[in-house]
Amino acid sequence: MSPERTTAALLLDIDPISLVRGKRGLGLFDYVNDRSYVSSSFMSTAISKVFGTAMSGRGDDHQELADSELDLSATITMLPCKEHDKLTAVFAPLGYQVSYYTFESDEQHPEWGDFGYVNLTIKGNVRLRDLLKHLYVLIPVFDKQKHYWVDTDEVEKLLRMGQDWLPDHPERQFITSRYLKRQRRLVDMVFERLAAGSATEADVLTEPVEQGVRPLFQRRLEDVFDTVKATGATSVIDLGCGEGNLLKLFIADSQFRSITGVDVSTLALKRCSNRLNMDEAGESMLQRIRLFQGSLTYKDERLRGYQVACVVEVIEHIDPPRLQAFEEVLFGYARPRTIVLTTPNSEYNAVYQIDTHRHEDHRFEWTRAQFHQWAVTTAEKYGYTVRFSGIGDDDEVHGPPTQMGVFTCE
Ligand code: SAH
């Protein structure tokens, strides 16, 4: 320790036998386990207990230091990790230089292979609170086990600890899915809360998805895409296209010769245009795809002439007094042959254990009965028929997380 530099070491003494007997950690481990030797969720818990004040950003006598970016480095010994490239992929976007030491097997026994642990060092100019939060979340991302049962509390923790850096992290899907131990219901909850309206779902469809975890937003877009494709349509308009995840699917399929995205938000459209590389698009692409800014509650000629219109997770962003204008524009004026519309099923919020809307910009969320009533009434009024289906895992009591109505007219 010197006036300029100090080191803190956190050493845990874990009794492997009490883990097995369930005194700690709910008896989640076998007798022979590595827990006392590795950096794991026990380390995260210890970080939050020992460095809780620093993590909250409070510095009492030295608040200016707590608020400044400092030249910090952290070494995590014996971090379980076999996917070494993920270390850089996860830590480098947070501003760290990453180095690590691996433990290759004994020269005598090459067949033992890599032991699957690293000593990791990260170094960067960051605030101490950020470094601690990164470690708190990311140690258990690499160590696949947790010493407690993962449940909705973990979603809150992840959103709280990750709010400043997780939404834009290129590996956010990997981090979320691993942190929540690949429980799809919880992963969905995080993305539903991070995503709607704030246009943070960028690139989700191009990111590798961990096996077995296909988050809800992805299933939703794929279900909508399949429904549209099955109509045989060649022209489609995506109303409230956001960053263009659905448009991307249409572009990749040559059945669709005319593809248009509309959004009221210029920021969303800008991101959409970047993601679709519109600046570099050639003549044929520009003929095939169009983006424009507009609102679904005003009659606009550019909304007409498409065989199919998609309205995915948009209606709940419209103020109830403007709904009638929206119906008139879409069903009365634009009048595509098919309309594929999705919206959250509010009953399912009980499964997510939230008693608010899924996103703060949602003006309402409908139960299945409310959605059916609106859809049937609107279909009748404008000469459409409607069929319903659910998207995502169906809960016996509360139904699916997303509900879809497919409207058709002759
Ligand atoms: N359909 C996309 C985005 C859903 S978020 C997806 O599923 O990923 C809702 C989007 O609707 C936002 O991009 C928002 O800007 C847009 N939106 C909300 N009200 C709108 C309106 N009146 N007209 C057009 N777009 C609207």
Side-chain angles (χ1 to χ4, degrees), residues 72-90:
L72 299 176
S73 75
T75 296
I76 300 109
T77 54
M78 285 290 162
L79 180 68
C81 174
K82 285 194 167 158
E83 309 128 298
H84 298 155
D85 52 337
K86 280 286 183 201
L87 292 168
T88 309
V90 164

Side-chain angles (χ1 to χ4, degrees), residues 165-203:
W165 54 274
L166 187 60
D168 296 323
H169 196 296
E171 291 285 343
R172 64 189 168 274
Q173 196 164 317
F174 169 80
I175 294 168
T176 305
S177 143
R178 278 290 196 81
Y179 188 82
L180 299 170
K181 302 305 156 215
R182 304 172 48 171
Q183 293 190 48
R184 184 158 66 205
R185 176 178 65 90
L186 301 180
V187 175
D188 284 350
M189 204 189 301
V190 168
F191 277 94
E192 288 290 281
R193 292 195 29 201
L194 288 179
S198 62
T200 44
E201 289 179 13
D203 295 322

Side-chain angles (χ1 to χ4, degrees), residues 79-268:
L79 180 68
C81 174
K82 285 194 167 158
E83 309 128 298
H84 298 155
D85 52 337
K86 280 286 183 201
L87 292 168
T88 309
V90 164
F91 284 100
L94 298 168
Y96 297 105
Q97 285 167 359
V98 179
S99 55
Y100 54 88
Y101 178 84
T102 60
F103 299 87
E104 299 300 332
S105 64
D106 204 292
E107 273 175 23
Q108 311 275 317
H109 297 282
E111 72 279 9
W112 289 353
D114 176 8
F115 288 143
Y117 300 94
V118 300
N119 283 354
L120 169 72
T121 297
I122 56 173
K123 231 174 128 3
N125 265 320
V126 289
R127 294 183 309 181
L128 180 57
R129 75 186 75 157
D130 297 325
L131 173 82
L132 293 170
K133 285 180 188 166
H134 295 154
L135 293 179
Y136 179 90
V137 171
L138 297 172
I139 290 173
V141 161
F142 284 98
D143 179 42
K144 293 186 189 160
Q145 306 183 43
K146 270 198 176 147
H147 66 283
Y148 46 81
W149 193 245
V150 173
D151 213 333
T152 44
D153 286 356
E154 291 301 286
V155 169
E156 298 305 325
K157 256 193 243 169
L158 181 61
L159 289 169
R160 206 171 59 243
M161 293 293 180
Q163 62 187 1
D164 296 336
W165 54 274
L166 187 60
D168 296 323
H169 196 296
E171 291 285 343
R172 64 189 168 274
Q173 196 164 317
F174 169 80
I175 294 168
T176 305
S177 143
R178 278 290 196 81
Y179 188 82
L180 299 170
K181 302 305 156 215
R182 304 172 48 171
Q183 293 190 48
R184 184 158 66 205
R185 176 178 65 90
L186 301 180
V187 175
D188 284 350
M189 204 189 301
V190 168
F191 277 94
E192 288 290 281
R193 292 195 29 201
L194 288 179
S198 62
T200 44
E201 289 179 13
D203 295 322
V204 287
L205 293 171
T206 51
E207 282 171 16
V209 177
E210 279 214 83
Q211 214 184 4
V213 181
R214 205 160 56 100
L216 179 60
F217 58 81
Q218 193 160 6
R219 297 166 89 189
R220 185 162 55 222
L221 295 179
E222 287 169 5
D223 282 9
V224 169
F225 174 82
D226 291 345
T227 307
V228 175
K229 182 159 171 74
T231 66
T234 56
S235 67
V236 58
I237 185 163
D238 186 10
L239 304 172
C241 62
E243 294 191 4
N245 287 314
L246 183 60
L247 294 174
K248 245 184 149 170
L249 297 184
F250 291 131
I251 291 169
D253 189 317
S254 60
Q255 173 178 322
F256 300 100
R257 291 202 291 271
S258 163
I259 304 162
T260 294
V262 187
D263 206 287
V264 76
S265 152
T266 41
L267 180 65

